[in-house]
Amino acid sequence: MKKISLVFRIWRQKSQLSKGQFVEYTLKDLSTNLSLLEALDKLNEELILNGDRPINFDHDCREGICGSCGFLVNGQPHGPKDATTICQLYLRNFKDHTTLTLEPLQTKTFPVIQDLVVDRSSLDRLIMSGGFCSDDVGKAPDANFFKVNQTDAFSSFQTATCIGCGACIASCRNASASLFVAAKLAHLGQLPQGQLLRSKRASQMKHQMLSEGFGSCSNNLDCEAACPKEISANWISWMNREDD
Amino acid sequence: MSYFLDPCIPLGNIDGAWERIQKSLPYISLGNKNKLQIVVVGGGLAGASAAATLAEQGFPVKLITYNDSPRRAHSVAAQGGINAAKKIREDDCDGVNELFVDTVRGGDFRAREASCRRLAEISSSIIDQCVNQGVPFARDYDGLLSTRRFGGALVSRTFYARGQTGQQLLYGAYQSLMRQVGSRRVELLPRRDVIEFINLNGVIRGVVTRNLLNGQLEVFQAHAVILATGGYSNVYFLSTNSIKSNASAVWRAHKQGAFFANPSLTQIHPTCIPVGGEYQSKLTLMSESLRNDGRIWLPRRSHDIRDPSEISESERDYFLERLYPSYGNLVPRDVASRRAKELCDQGFGVGNDGRSVYLDLRDAIQKKGAQEIKAKYGNLIEMYERIVGEDPMTMPMRIYPAPHYTMGGLWVDYNLMSTLPGLFVLGEANCTVHGANRLGANALLQCLADGYFIGPCSIHSWLEGHTFSISSHEMDQACQDALENTKKRIDDLINVQGEIPVDIFHRALGEIMINRCGITRNESGLLAGLEEIKLLKQKFHHQVRIPIEINCPNPELEKALRVADFLELAQLMLSDALSRKESCGAHFREEYQTPEGETMRDDENYAHIAAWEYVPGSEPIKHLENLSFSLLKPNKRSYQ
Ligand SMILES: Cc1cc2nc3c(=O)[nH]c(=O)nc-3n(C[C@H](O)[C@H](O)[C@H](O)COP(=O)(O)OP(=O)(O)OC[C@H]3O[C@@H](n4cnc5c(N)ncnc54)[C@H](O)[C@@H]3O)c2cc1C
Ligand code: SF4
Ligand code: FES
């Protein structure tokens, strides 16, 4: 089993009100089979043993699907590997003795809670503003009433895979939520059952983006590069035509 | 002493019983609904769907979850698919009866027949509901819904959205929920841990939560509480569940008087990425759907360390196909897990420590082409490659069984109410249809059946009798008591200030549980396990170290509260496993097996659900719900 040593430069901030700073930690003899989060678990165990406060970071499924994890590794949301969430980032992707700078996905719409944890509830409010189909339970027609060809079903599915991690927003210099919103609009807008509210949904979600303080899209495609689910920025142009 | 429990199954023919019940439900006027407060704990498939549906009906609902958003609940990780008896084409031979039969058989006749019947009857409406919400299920060439086959079934009835079915179903429920949050009928309370219940004279009237941002204890009063807090297989530390999945809410309810049913019946999933080394924090499932195309094998020679590509066809043992010709690689999970463990124990296993078997896509790739296989399993293949660093398109995957799904949970009657009046339990947290070895792809189905259809209907009967105001002097006192108990529990843990971090205890607990109460169990192992846990529990309460600051986020305290509960639950699991002197489905007691090494059920003495009552300072009391089968005769499970 290969082993490496890494230096972690980590943003420490006790609470929203306190000031933060970077603190450096060195970890030796790390198996390259560990994930980056498992390395942080190990570091936390050492911190607790020393009587220090462990590092707080969000995580849950550790399978790349819940969207909880996510911070910047050397300036990149979810780190250097394409199409990979941070919990799926393994140490075999790093060279021995590298320094990794870890900092929160900080934008004004994602205030820091503690260390690497931020508040992403603005994304829930975007969905709340219109990201749904609106029939009540028990009123659904037979599922085969809607026929959907395979291409449309798959295309809708691909946009539906957005995990709401917010990496697109943290990578954008304008903090635009366009990719996240476009993904939801395209997911529902490509299916027959999403047609009824299609333009209303688009205008409400776009309006909500503005009122949450997200910036506008200036097409620099950083969002697409950061997205762990490889959602294409073409959907943003698709969205821009939606409620006209 | 044992008592017999009444599950409140409707009288008469169970076929269609649910429809009859629905017609006789009481009517609650909108005016009265508005005055009734419902608290739903959990934003997974069961909780989100229940909260959305109840809010649509006009009830004010509060939804509590420890996640920062309901979209992140553990249900999001379900991969394979959801079963439904839905006819897609005229010539489909599947129907309600077939799904019902497979569910009861999959449960090895340790599930309640009437609930299994209801599940099969509702299943088709669930697919309608989800499609209507925009769940992008896979489609066939003709635009109709597509299905695939899952373990334990002979027909193809599993609906899916690639390997992300749970994600898509959850987003459907979450979006419906957020629509209700937007119209202010649901109040969303994220980042809160439910750690105690308000118990007013034996009736549940609310919960105490710890706000995970500032550590404050908060009280939420209610006319009814719905628990949809998921499964507890993290008692094994390494499992396929999300890291934060836990047993605390159900365990706290148990300590208040809710009976815990069949706690030891844990499903071990045969196809997980095996343990890689120290500090591994969880095990990742490779969906069972891979067994549609993947063939499972081991070298015929023991301790064979050659590269799999050097092992010729005649030197390979496709052991499931050899032993079970009609089900082959799609035998139920307990059978596949046991056979894999046995062969690894005998030295035929592969990988670092000989604790894996091969799951090989080679033949399917040759037959169907790499493109088709990638299209079908794309994300699973990528996931494996990322974690293990090997490409399953060119090398067989290595897999091993891992704790996955807990079939035990709080005992509920046919209306999903626990033995604590006012407390309803939905989804994986309850113990209704699971029996001993539930059918693959039935869990999602059960969560949504409970959440969209059953819970929101059956709760009406309870609420009808409780339309009065719940604020009173007595109620204030009950809230105060619950708050004080909770505060004391937290202080006691923080004050230990020992020298060992929580995770170390959790890992040690997991080790004991997998060895003593894992794929197989036996009497001496279970007794030893009980002793080991007793010692570990003592050590935990004397030596755990948690950072002191409690008025800010303190994830170590969150973990410690959970591990303290897991330690107690583990004891109940071992006792339950000891007292079930038979083998049924996933519960394999080595003393009770056929000469061929299959489970030996004892219908004479154990055709029941064992429901345990907590007794402070003393051994738990076992109650029985006797199971009888009217539509289907219990017969031997055979997958030959
Ligand atoms: C990897 C994996 C794959 C699976 N694949 C399939 C499949 O293909 N098909 C299938 O049918 N089943 C599958 N299952 C099983 C299925 O996913 C689960 O049984 C189901 O999703 C459980 O849903 P739930 O709503 O009961 O609970 P969960 O989704 O676990 O939700 C629990 C909720 O309760 C909240 N909660 C818990 N405790 C507390 C507390 N104390 N305080 C506050 N909130 C709390 C959580 O925040 C969360 O919102 C899979 C399971 C796993 C682990
Ligand atoms: S679009 Fe991509 S980057 Fe943005 S929230 Fe969704 S998954 Fe994350
Ligand atoms: S922890 Fe769930 S996506 Fe990373």
Side-chain angles (χ1 to χ4, degrees), chain B residues 249-261:
Chain B
V250 288
W251 190 252
R252 290 287 132 200
H254 174 59
K255 290 185 91 170
Q256 293 280 345
F259 292 1
F260 209 122

PDB file of all heavy atoms in Angstrom, chain B residues 249-261:
ATOM      1  N   ALA B 249     -33.570   8.657  17.483  1.00  0.00           N
ATOM      2  CA  ALA B 249     -34.987   9.001  17.650  1.00  0.00           C
ATOM      3  C   ALA B 249     -35.790   7.752  18.013  1.00  0.00           C
ATOM      4  O   ALA B 249     -36.581   7.769  18.960  1.00  0.00           O
ATOM      5  CB  ALA B 249     -35.524   9.653  16.386  1.00  0.00           C
ATOM      6  N   VAL B 250     -35.560   6.654  17.292  1.00  0.00           N
ATOM      7  CA  VAL B 250     -36.349   5.455  17.613  1.00  0.00           C
ATOM      8  C   VAL B 250     -35.958   4.907  18.983  1.00  0.00           C
ATOM      9  O   VAL B 250     -36.795   4.394  19.727  1.00  0.00           O
ATOM     10  CB  VAL B 250     -36.238   4.344  16.534  1.00  0.00           C
ATOM     11  CG1 VAL B 250     -36.985   4.732  15.273  1.00  0.00           C
ATOM     12  CG2 VAL B 250     -34.818   3.980  16.221  1.00  0.00           C
ATOM     13  N   TRP B 251     -34.695   5.036  19.332  1.00  0.00           N
ATOM     14  CA  TRP B 251     -34.275   4.504  20.630  1.00  0.00           C
ATOM     15  C   TRP B 251     -34.866   5.318  21.784  1.00  0.00           C
ATOM     16  O   TRP B 251     -35.313   4.795  22.788  1.00  0.00           O
ATOM     17  CB  TRP B 251     -32.750   4.442  20.725  1.00  0.00           C
ATOM     18  CG  TRP B 251     -32.350   3.675  21.943  1.00  0.00           C
ATOM     19  CD1 TRP B 251     -31.807   4.168  23.086  1.00  0.00           C
ATOM     20  CD2 TRP B 251     -32.526   2.269  22.162  1.00  0.00           C
ATOM     21  NE1 TRP B 251     -31.640   3.161  24.006  1.00  0.00           N
ATOM     22  CE2 TRP B 251     -32.070   1.984  23.463  1.00  0.00           C
ATOM     23  CE3 TRP B 251     -33.040   1.225  21.375  1.00  0.00           C
ATOM     24  CZ2 TRP B 251     -32.100   0.698  24.004  1.00  0.00           C
ATOM     25  CZ3 TRP B 251     -33.073  -0.044  21.914  1.00  0.00           C
ATOM     26  CH2 TRP B 251     -32.604  -0.298  23.217  1.00  0.00           C
ATOM     27  N   ARG B 252     -34.906   6.636  21.604  1.00  0.00           N
ATOM     28  CA  ARG B 252     -35.498   7.492  22.644  1.00  0.00           C
ATOM     29  C   ARG B 252     -36.992   7.193  22.771  1.00  0.00           C
ATOM     30  O   ARG B 252     -37.544   7.200  23.856  1.00  0.00           O
ATOM     31  CB  ARG B 252     -35.282   8.963  22.294  1.00  0.00           C
ATOM     32  CG  ARG B 252     -33.850   9.404  22.404  1.00  0.00           C
ATOM     33  CD  ARG B 252     -33.435   9.506  23.839  1.00  0.00           C
ATOM     34  NE  ARG B 252     -32.156   8.843  24.047  1.00  0.00           N
ATOM     35  CZ  ARG B 252     -31.716   8.439  25.222  1.00  0.00           C
ATOM     36  NH1 ARG B 252     -32.451   8.605  26.300  1.00  0.00           N
ATOM     37  NH2 ARG B 252     -30.563   7.840  25.318  1.00  0.00           N
ATOM     38  N   ALA B 253     -37.648   6.950  21.626  1.00  0.00           N
ATOM     39  CA  ALA B 253     -39.080   6.606  21.677  1.00  0.00           C
ATOM     40  C   ALA B 253     -39.247   5.270  22.390  1.00  0.00           C
ATOM     41  O   ALA B 253     -40.171   5.091  23.189  1.00  0.00           O
ATOM     42  CB  ALA B 253     -39.653   6.536  20.265  1.00  0.00           C
ATOM     43  N   HIS B 254     -38.329   4.358  22.100  1.00  0.00           N
ATOM     44  CA  HIS B 254     -38.388   3.040  22.750  1.00  0.00           C
ATOM     45  C   HIS B 254     -38.287   3.208  24.261  1.00  0.00           C
ATOM     46  O   HIS B 254     -39.029   2.588  25.024  1.00  0.00           O
ATOM     47  CB  HIS B 254     -37.238   2.183  22.208  1.00  0.00           C
ATOM     48  CG  HIS B 254     -37.096   0.860  22.887  1.00  0.00           C
ATOM     49  ND1 HIS B 254     -38.112  -0.071  22.911  1.00  0.00           N
ATOM     50  CD2 HIS B 254     -36.061   0.301  23.561  1.00  0.00           C
ATOM     51  CE1 HIS B 254     -37.702  -1.142  23.577  1.00  0.00           C
ATOM     52  NE2 HIS B 254     -36.464  -0.941  23.988  1.00  0.00           N
ATOM     53  N   LYS B 255     -37.392   4.062  24.683  1.00  0.00           N
ATOM     54  CA  LYS B 255     -37.221   4.236  26.136  1.00  0.00           C
ATOM     55  C   LYS B 255     -38.427   4.914  26.778  1.00  0.00           C
ATOM     56  O   LYS B 255     -38.615   4.850  27.985  1.00  0.00           O
ATOM     57  CB  LYS B 255     -35.919   4.994  26.430  1.00  0.00           C
ATOM     58  CG  LYS B 255     -34.695   4.121  26.110  1.00  0.00           C
ATOM     59  CD  LYS B 255     -33.400   4.755  26.477  1.00  0.00           C
ATOM     60  CE  LYS B 255     -32.958   4.426  27.866  1.00  0.00           C
ATOM     61  NZ  LYS B 255     -31.568   4.856  28.132  1.00  0.00           N
ATOM     62  N   GLN B 256     -39.244   5.559  25.937  1.00  0.00           N
ATOM     63  CA  GLN B 256     -40.479   6.169  26.459  1.00  0.00           C
ATOM     64  C   GLN B 256     -41.636   5.185  26.451  1.00  0.00           C
ATOM     65  O   GLN B 256     -42.720   5.498  26.944  1.00  0.00           O
ATOM     66  CB  GLN B 256     -40.882   7.364  25.591  1.00  0.00           C
ATOM     67  CG  GLN B 256     -39.947   8.535  25.648  1.00  0.00           C
ATOM     68  CD  GLN B 256     -40.181   9.374  26.888  1.00  0.00           C
ATOM     69  OE1 GLN B 256     -41.203   9.241  27.551  1.00  0.00           O
ATOM     70  NE2 GLN B 256     -39.226  10.225  27.207  1.00  0.00           N
ATOM     71  N   GLY B 257     -41.461   4.036  25.795  1.00  0.00           N
ATOM     72  CA  GLY B 257     -42.557   3.059  25.802  1.00  0.00           C
ATOM     73  C   GLY B 257     -42.933   2.472  24.451  1.00  0.00           C
ATOM     74  O   GLY B 257     -43.836   1.651  24.372  1.00  0.00           O
ATOM     75  N   ALA B 258     -42.270   2.907  23.389  1.00  0.00           N
ATOM     76  CA  ALA B 258     -42.577   2.313  22.076  1.00  0.00           C
ATOM     77  C   ALA B 258     -41.835   0.978  21.970  1.00  0.00           C
ATOM     78  O   ALA B 258     -40.630   0.931  22.198  1.00  0.00           O
ATOM     79  CB  ALA B 258     -42.148   3.261  20.958  1.00  0.00           C
ATOM     80  N   PHE B 259     -42.551  -0.074  21.615  1.00  0.00           N
ATOM     81  CA  PHE B 259     -41.908  -1.389  21.527  1.00  0.00           C
ATOM     82  C   PHE B 259     -40.996  -1.443  20.298  1.00  0.00           C
ATOM     83  O   PHE B 259     -41.318  -0.882  19.253  1.00  0.00           O
ATOM     84  CB  PHE B 259     -42.956  -2.505  21.416  1.00  0.00           C
ATOM     85  CG  PHE B 259     -43.777  -2.697  22.669  1.00  0.00           C
ATOM     86  CD1 PHE B 259     -43.581  -1.905  23.803  1.00  0.00           C
ATOM     87  CD2 PHE B 259     -44.754  -3.683  22.718  1.00  0.00           C
ATOM     88  CE1 PHE B 259     -44.338  -2.086  24.953  1.00  0.00           C
ATOM     89  CE2 PHE B 259     -45.528  -3.872  23.865  1.00  0.00           C
ATOM     90  CZ  PHE B 259     -45.323  -3.066  24.970  1.00  0.00           C
ATOM     91  N   PHE B 260     -39.887  -2.142  20.456  1.00  0.00           N
ATOM     92  CA  PHE B 260     -38.923  -2.274  19.345  1.00  0.00           C
ATOM     93  C   PHE B 260     -39.056  -3.672  18.780  1.00  0.00           C
ATOM     94  O   PHE B 260     -38.883  -4.661  19.495  1.00  0.00           O
ATOM     95  CB  PHE B 260     -37.498  -2.035  19.876  1.00  0.00           C
ATOM     96  CG  PHE B 260     -36.580  -1.470  18.847  1.00  0.00           C
ATOM     97  CD1 PHE B 260     -35.931  -0.256  19.048  1.00  0.00           C
ATOM     98  CD2 PHE B 260     -36.356  -2.151  17.657  1.00  0.00           C
ATOM     99  CE1 PHE B 260     -35.080   0.284  18.085  1.00  0.00           C
ATOM    100  CE2 PHE B 260     -35.506  -1.620  16.690  1.00  0.00           C
ATOM    101  CZ  PHE B 260     -34.871  -0.397  16.910  1.00  0.00           C
ATOM    102  N   ALA B 261     -39.359  -3.768  17.491  1.00  0.00           N
ATOM    103  CA  ALA B 261     -39.659  -5.076  16.903  1.00  0.00           C
ATOM    104  C   ALA B 261     -38.482  -5.637  16.105  1.00  0.00           C
ATOM    105  O   ALA B 261     -37.809  -4.903  15.375  1.00  0.00           O
ATOM    106  CB  ALA B 261     -40.873  -4.953  15.990  1.00  0.00           C
TER     107      ALA B 261
END
